Amino acid sequence: VDNTGGGGSQPLSVSDENGATISQELGLNATASGNTLTGNQIVGGIDSVLLRNLNGGAGITQLGQISLTDRTGTTATVDLSGAQSVSDVINAINSATDGHGNKLKLTASLDPAGTGIQIQDTSGATASNLVIADVGGSTTASQLGIAVNGAQNSIDSGSLHLQYVNLGTSLSAYGPGETAIPSGTFSITDSTGQQFSVNVTSSVQTIGNLQQLIATSTNNNVTLQLNSTGDGFQLVDQAGGSQQLTVSDLGGTTAAALKIAGSGTAGGDGKSQIDSRAGTQITVAATDTLASLAAKINAAQSGVTATIVNDGSTFSPNRLQLTSSQTGVAGQFTVDDGGLGLGFSTQTKGQNALLKVGSSSSANPFFLTSGTNQFTTAIPDLNITLNAVGSTPAQVNVVSDTSQITNLVQTFVTNYNTAYTTATTDTTYNTASSTAAPLQGDGTVLRLETALSNLVSSVAGPAGNAVTSLAQLGISVNQDGTLALNSTTLSQQISQHPTAITNFFMDATNGFGTKLKNTINSFTDTTTGEFTTETTALQTSSTSIEARITQLNNQLTSQQQSLMTTFTNLETVLGNLRNQQTALESILGLTSSSSSSTSSSSPGTATSISAAGVNSIGANSGSSGTSS
């Protein structure tokens, strides 16, 4: 209601911003009358859906009149301009009459798949075609898929693509099998080859949040929009390149869970796109058989199991049966065979069990539902199982179920023995193999063993309780420290002292369960537990040793480099000495040759040659002269 008092030039209206569809979903995209805007229906009813939620949420462009002609030739005009749900359309067609008040021989209903409208001519006549057509500017018949003009007795719209997914759909159940989409990062490569990283965190809770994240992360080179089939969304490339849009996970499974991992295909507008559909799509080849089709359905892990049943018929006895893996309403599913003509029909509709709580004379009974026939909240501390459908109040007997007590005590004994045996094995020297246990001598584990031993022999429960020890319940300590349970003794105590047993285990101050929890926590607490403290100390020691190893390695590396430098220098000096030696050897060879040539000189003449490193070399011919 507009409370401004009027006088403005603009009528009261509600419009969406930033590409949202909120006003349509709330039914506020209506025309105001004066200062009041009355919204459209928000829900279609108990057994129907809104027309505006068909065609993937696009709805019907222009509601209006349609003409109907059955095969007897009787004609009627139906005004659907005010229709808001599928049931409004069906009821209007079934109530249609000609100008004389005669009802048409047409029956409208949901089709066998429950996803479309089916209209059948029941007259048995053939005088006229079955005709359903829009009148004036109406698009109702064509967009509902029931427009027809032919010599046929029925028309099936096929799937009207009810919108199951919108921008407000939570990601907590959008994954395979209605699981949550995990946080993680994936990459998007647009058609120009430019790559973007999209980080999905816990703050991204809806498909609308994801839409904004992808637009921001890709600078609007890639956008998210809801698909036309109403069961998901699609990523559309806006970069205008020649390559296909691609999406791949970066270490996680986020893109795979969203069903967008892979390469895109060209859409009707030529843009590369990747579809994410909540429904499972099965590709059927011309060579497929019932067996191979069933195998494909099962491999898809869609929550539906396919089996082949034989109905005993002589001709074509095999049938394909699909069964949901979930019970109750949660197990309902629809099938669109894509025009294959497999002829699916619902054999058993998934529905919840309904329990009315209260006497037949109760003024305020209430109802509960369950998809498993189990009710745990109808009456405090009682579990109720429905075994059959009842038409009158059922008289039930309430009995105590003590089997869980026995099972829990046996589980405790088993787990205690596992823990105690493991601790003993890991701290005991193996004399057979002469090897030390991995935790031999570890004080923390030894203290745990002692604490557990003391606990099982201690007194527990509130003061004056009929049961004060495990021994009274038939639990004894074996010679090796493990426990043994006498089921007969335990059963006797349960029958005689059920409350005392509860108090023994569950007393908030002195109960055995409280003491056990405190004992275990003293060792396993992530902050103050002894194992935590020891782990921290060992980690600190390990870090210190690793640091020392690094320091020593650095010193060794430095020393190695110094030795290598010295070695290189010595190699250089040695090389120079070798070169000098080679030169000297050459000179010695030359000197020897010269001596030989001068020995024939005139008598009394001496030849002298001096060289580095040589004191004197001489050749004397004759008996006179000197050599230096």
Side-chain angles (χ1 to χ4, degrees):
V1 178
D2 185 345
N3 294 316
T4 59
S9 60
Q10 297 294 328
L12 173 63
S13 64
V14 177
S15 60
D16 292 309
E17 293 186 356
N18 300 323
T21 58
I22 306 281
S23 66
Q24 177 182 351
E25 291 167 10
L26 292 177
L28 294 175
N29 57 335
T31 302
S33 175
N35 67 333
T36 302
L37 186 152
T38 301
N40 298 314
Q41 280 184 231
I42 296 178
V43 293
I46 294 177
D47 59 349
S48 187
V49 295
L50 294 173
L51 294 176
R52 66 171 181 266
N53 290 333
L54 302 180
N55 295 322
I60 307 299
T61 304
Q62 183 60 55
L63 287 167
Q65 294 181 333
I66 64 173
S67 64
L68 304 170
T69 303
D70 63 22
R71 300 210 65 184
T72 66
T74 305
T75 301
T77 300
V78 177
D79 187 3
L80 297 176
S81 58
Q84 298 201 45
S85 67
V86 170
S87 60
D88 290 344
V89 174
I90 292 176
N91 292 336
I93 294 175
N94 288 333
S95 303
T97 59
D98 62 9
H100 304 288
N102 300 314
K103 291 188 64 175
L104 272 65
K105 302 296 185 180
L106 296 178
T107 300
S109 63
L110 291 178
D111 63 15
T115 59
I117 297 174
Q118 178 179 270
I119 300 176
Q120 291 182 313
D121 182 281
T122 60
S123 67
T126 58
S128 170
N129 282 347
L130 173 63
V131 180
I132 303 176
D134 285 307
V135 176
S138 172
T139 61
T140 307
S142 59
Q143 288 191 288
L144 286 177
I146 57 176
V148 63
N149 186 350
Q152 58 195 68
N153 295 324
S154 65
I155 178 68
D156 191 327
S157 68
S159 175
L160 292 175
H161 302 302
L162 174 65
Q163 187 179 38
Y164 295 97
V165 175
N166 57 32
L167 296 179
T169 298
S170 174
L171 295 181
S172 63
Y174 189 76
E178 297 186 354
T179 57
I181 299 297
S183 297
T185 305
F186 58 87
S187 67
I188 296 179
T189 305
D190 66 20
S191 60
T192 65
Q194 188 172 1
Q195 189 176 69
F196 306 94
S197 178
V198 180
N199 182 24
V200 178
T201 63
S202 59
S203 62
V204 181
Q205 299 183 359
T206 65
I207 290 179
N209 295 153
L210 183 64
Q211 180 189 53
Q212 296 173 356
L213 175 63
I214 289 177
T216 302
S217 300
T218 65
N219 298 322
N220 288 312
N221 281 19
V222 178
T223 58
L224 181 154
Q225 64 186 37
L226 297 176
N227 62 21
S228 59
T229 53
D231 60 352
F233 63 87
Q234 54 191 191
L235 300 185
V236 182
D237 179 84
Q238 307 294 348
S242 59
Q243 304 176 34
Q244 289 292 349
L245 178 67
T246 59
V247 176
S248 58
D249 276 305
L250 297 177
T253 59
T254 306
L258 287 168
K259 300 181 181 180
I260 56 175
S263 299
T265 56
D269 56 1
K271 296 180 179 179
S272 180
Q273 63 184 42
I274 296 177
D275 288 338
S276 168
R277 301 184 64 179
T280 300
Q281 300 178 70
I282 306 296
T283 301
V284 184
T287 55
D288 272 324
T289 62
L290 279 183
S292 63
L293 178 56
K296 286 183 176 181
I297 294 173
N298 292 331
Q301 298 182 343
S302 61
V304 173
T305 301
T307 54
I308 297 176
V309 295
N310 189 311
D311 63 7
S313 302
T314 303
F315 179 73
S316 298
N318 294 323
R319 298 286 183 266
L320 181 65
Q321 178 173 287
L322 304 181
T323 306
S324 173
S325 58
Q326 299 186 66
T327 59
V329 171
Q332 292 185 3
F333 63 95
T334 61
V335 180
D336 181 353
D337 70 1
L340 291 175
L342 294 176
F344 282 113
S345 61
T346 302
Q347 302 299 306
T348 304
K349 182 179 180 180
Q351 54 186 354
N352 289 343
L354 187 66
L355 174 66
K356 179 182 179 181
V357 182
S359 65
S360 57
S361 60
S362 174
N364 296 302
F366 60 92
F367 292 87
L368 298 174
T369 62
S370 170
T372 62
N373 291 338
Q374 306 290 326
F375 294 84
T376 60
T377 61
I379 301 175
D381 299 325
L382 287 181
N383 296 333
I384 298 175
T385 301
L386 301 190
N387 297 320
V389 176
S391 58
T392 59
Q395 183 71 33
V396 297
N397 296 321
V398 179
V399 296
S400 298
D401 181 8
T402 60
S403 62
Q404 292 193 39
I405 297 178
T406 303
N407 292 338
L408 288 172
V409 173
Q410 182 61 65
T411 300
F412 161 72
V413 171
T414 301
N415 291 343
Y416 178 93
N417 290 342
T418 300
Y420 193 88
T421 301
T422 301
T424 302
T425 302
D426 289 346
T427 56
T428 303
Y429 183 81
N430 190 330
T431 56
S433 60
S434 299
T435 56
L439 296 176
Q440 184 173 335
D442 186 274
T444 304
V445 180
L446 294 175
R447 286 193 296 275
L448 174 62
E449 285 186 286
T450 302
L452 292 177
S453 298
N454 293 336
L455 181 66
V456 297
S457 61
S458 65
V459 175
N465 196 49
V467 177
T468 59
S469 68
L470 291 178
Q472 289 179 263
L473 299 177
I475 299 176
S476 58
V477 181
N478 296 321
Q479 188 174 0
D480 62 356
T482 58
L483 302 181
L485 173 64
N486 187 319
S487 300
T488 302
T489 301
L490 178 61
S491 297
Q492 292 174 351
Q493 289 286 6
I494 290 175
S495 62
Q496 297 173 8
H497 307 292
T499 303
I501 293 176
T502 299
N503 294 336
F504 171 78
F505 282 108
M506 304 302 295
D507 184 75
T509 304
N510 295 313
F512 183 82
T514 302
K515 292 184 176 182
L516 176 62
K517 180 179 180 180
N518 292 338
T519 299
I520 298 301
N521 283 348
S522 69
F523 285 89
T524 63
D525 186 87
T526 56
T527 304
T528 61
E530 290 194 40
F531 284 132
T532 302
T533 303
E534 183 174 12
T535 300
T536 302
L538 290 173
Q539 186 61 55
T540 301
S541 177
S542 174
T543 302
S544 177
I545 292 173
E546 290 175 355
R548 179 59 177 161
I549 291 173
T550 301
Q551 181 184 12
L552 291 175
N553 282 337
N554 291 338
Q555 291 179 1
L556 290 174
T557 300
S558 177
Q559 187 175 2
Q560 181 187 28
Q561 292 175 347
S562 177
L563 291 174
M564 286 295 295
T565 301
T566 302
F567 176 78
T568 301
N569 292 338
L570 289 175
E571 281 289 298
T572 301
V573 172
L574 184 59
N576 290 336
L577 291 176
R578 286 173 177 162
N579 291 337
Q580 291 179 12
Q581 181 181 11
T582 302
L584 289 176
E585 289 175 350
S586 299
I587 294 173
L588 286 175
L590 179 61
T591 304
S592 175
S593 176
S594 300
S595 299
S596 298
S597 62
T598 57
S599 62
S600 59
S601 301
S602 300
T605 302
T607 302
S608 64
I609 300 175
S610 63
V614 180
N615 293 327
S616 65
I617 301 175
N620 190 8
S621 180
S623 58
S624 63
T626 60
S627 173
S628 62

